[in-house]
Amino acid sequence: MTPRVNDRLGNSLLRGLAILAALLTCALILEITYQLVSGSRLALSHFGLGFLVHSQWKPNFDVFGATTLLFGTAVSSAMALLIATPVSVAIGLYLSLLAPRGVRGVVGALVEMLAAIPSVILGFWGILVLGPFLRDHIEPWLHRTLGFIPLFGPPSSSGSSLFTAGLILTVMIVPIIASISRDLFRTVPRELQDGAAALGATRWEIVRGVILPSTASGVASAACLGLGRALGEAIAVTQVIGAGNEVHTSLFTTGDTLASRIANQFQGASTKLQTSSLFYLALILLVIGLTTNLAAQWIGRRYDVQRQAGR
């Protein structure tokens, strides 16, 4: 066969494989959605949308609600995102612009290795080290300093709290956002940076006026990717959050999340309604995850449209 025929066959094969992979992905999402809807049908018919606003979870009385779990998921994930995003962007800027070549390789590898630590190991570290340290030092200090804010109430007595869970999630999502941000910052053309420097811009002005605006949509998408990781984490959160069943204004109280409750109770569910309610929680978590990813895509497209219009 001639080289042109080989190229056509290769292009057709590559196209076919790409289409097959896309169809398999769509089919997998549809299958997961179907299984969750099917498994939660009993709870959907029994509780309806009231499941979202009911806070009680009493398996012995067949009373179930997701409000407490939605609150714990939102608070722990939002806390992780608020802390991890600026820290990760700073790490990305350091690795892409400021660090010497030798240091860049070592620090970059260590940051990426942090993502490879199993979540159960981070959970153990949270139980043995982070939780007691927060209980004995950080939480009392925050309560003394900022106790007039309801978020910083009396310190926990065990070290298990929403605050501990939020910090564990922060550790888990920092490497994701930092690695993506570093790669994004490296894509900014060197000519733009040199041009700004030639006009007298300082390093900070180059970062603020050239690098961050050029990569804002990508950083937002990276943050949403990290948020999705935080929303779905179960094992590490289960180990340090304390499995509380009430909504509190303080971060130092125990709580629970959607993923944690599913992981903690699914195997031991005693009734069909409890099992169906856990499927309902999983369906809610799936909807939240898909919504987060769609929001990330919308942010990126909107930013790109605004940037093109500004040119």
Side-chain angles (χ1 to χ4, degrees):
M1 291 188 293
T2 64
R4 181 170 294 181
V5 173
N6 288 332
D7 291 342
R8 290 177 180 176
L9 289 175
N11 290 337
S12 299
L13 180 61
L14 178 61
R15 180 181 176 84
L17 290 175
I19 293 174
L20 178 61
L23 292 176
L24 287 175
T25 301
C26 294
L28 180 61
I29 294 176
L30 291 175
E31 170 63 15
I32 292 173
T33 304
Y34 170 76
Q35 293 296 333
L36 293 181
V37 172
S38 177
S40 62
R41 189 169 299 160
L42 179 60
L44 284 167
S45 62
H46 192 276
F47 299 112
L49 294 178
F51 185 79
L52 301 175
V53 297
H54 190 74
S55 61
Q56 298 296 318
W57 189 275
K58 299 179 178 179
N60 293 335
F61 300 95
D62 278 342
V63 175
F64 303 100
T67 298
T68 304
L69 308 176
L70 287 169
F71 175 80
T73 301
V75 170
S76 58
S77 300
M79 175 183 167
L81 188 64
L82 289 174
I83 299 174
T85 300
V87 171
S88 301
V89 170
I91 293 174
L93 289 171
Y94 176 73
L95 292 177
S96 59
L97 300 176
L98 304 175
R101 186 177 299 273
V103 175
R104 185 182 306 169
V106 174
V107 175
L110 290 175
V111 171
E112 292 176 353
M113 286 178 60
L114 187 61
I117 298 177
S119 58
V120 67
I121 302 301
L122 287 175
F124 275 128
W125 175 73
I127 293 173
L128 299 175
V129 179
L130 182 62
F133 177 76
L134 296 176
R135 177 195 63 200
D136 297 336
H137 302 285
I138 303 300
E139 291 181 4
W141 178 79
L142 287 174
H143 180 62
R144 289 194 305 269
T145 306
L146 302 173
F148 59 92
I149 302 175
L151 286 176
F152 306 105
S156 65
S157 58
S158 62
S160 298
S161 64
L162 285 168
F163 188 65
T164 307
L167 290 181
I168 287 290
L169 291 176
T170 300
V171 174
M172 298 182 72
I173 69 175
V174 158
I176 298 174
I177 305 176
S179 298
I180 297 175
S181 298
R182 177 198 58 192
D183 295 338
L184 287 169
F185 298 150
R186 286 179 177 175
T187 63
V188 178
R190 188 68 190 180
E191 293 80 6
L192 293 178
Q193 302 179 47
D194 293 341
L199 293 174
T202 63
R203 181 63 62 88
W204 163 242
E205 289 171 338
I206 294 173
V207 170
R208 185 186 62 184
V210 177
I211 295 177
L212 291 181
S214 301
T215 58
S217 61
V219 172
S221 298
C224 288
L225 182 63
L227 177 61
R229 176 74 173 90
L231 290 169
E233 175 54 37
I235 301 302
V237 172
T238 302
Q239 292 174 283
V240 300
I241 200 169
N245 290 311
E246 296 181 4
V247 174
H248 298 279
T249 57
S250 175
L251 293 174
F252 302 152
T253 56
T254 58
D256 214 343
T257 65
L258 295 168
S260 176
R261 182 60 57 91
I262 295 168
N264 203 27
Q265 294 192 4
F266 189 81
Q267 293 296 331
S270 57
T271 64
K272 291 183 178 180
L273 185 58
Q274 184 180 3
T275 301
S276 183
S277 297
L278 293 171
F279 270 103
Y280 199 166
L281 295 180
L283 181 61
I284 295 170
L285 190 57
L286 177 64
V287 171
I288 293 174
L290 292 177
T291 302
T292 302
N293 282 275
L294 291 175
Q297 296 179 17
W298 179 82
I299 291 171
R301 291 173 183 171
R302 184 176 178 84
Y303 176 81
D304 290 339
V305 170
Q306 291 176 346
R307 186 173 60 178
Q308 292 175 3
R311 293 176 179 176

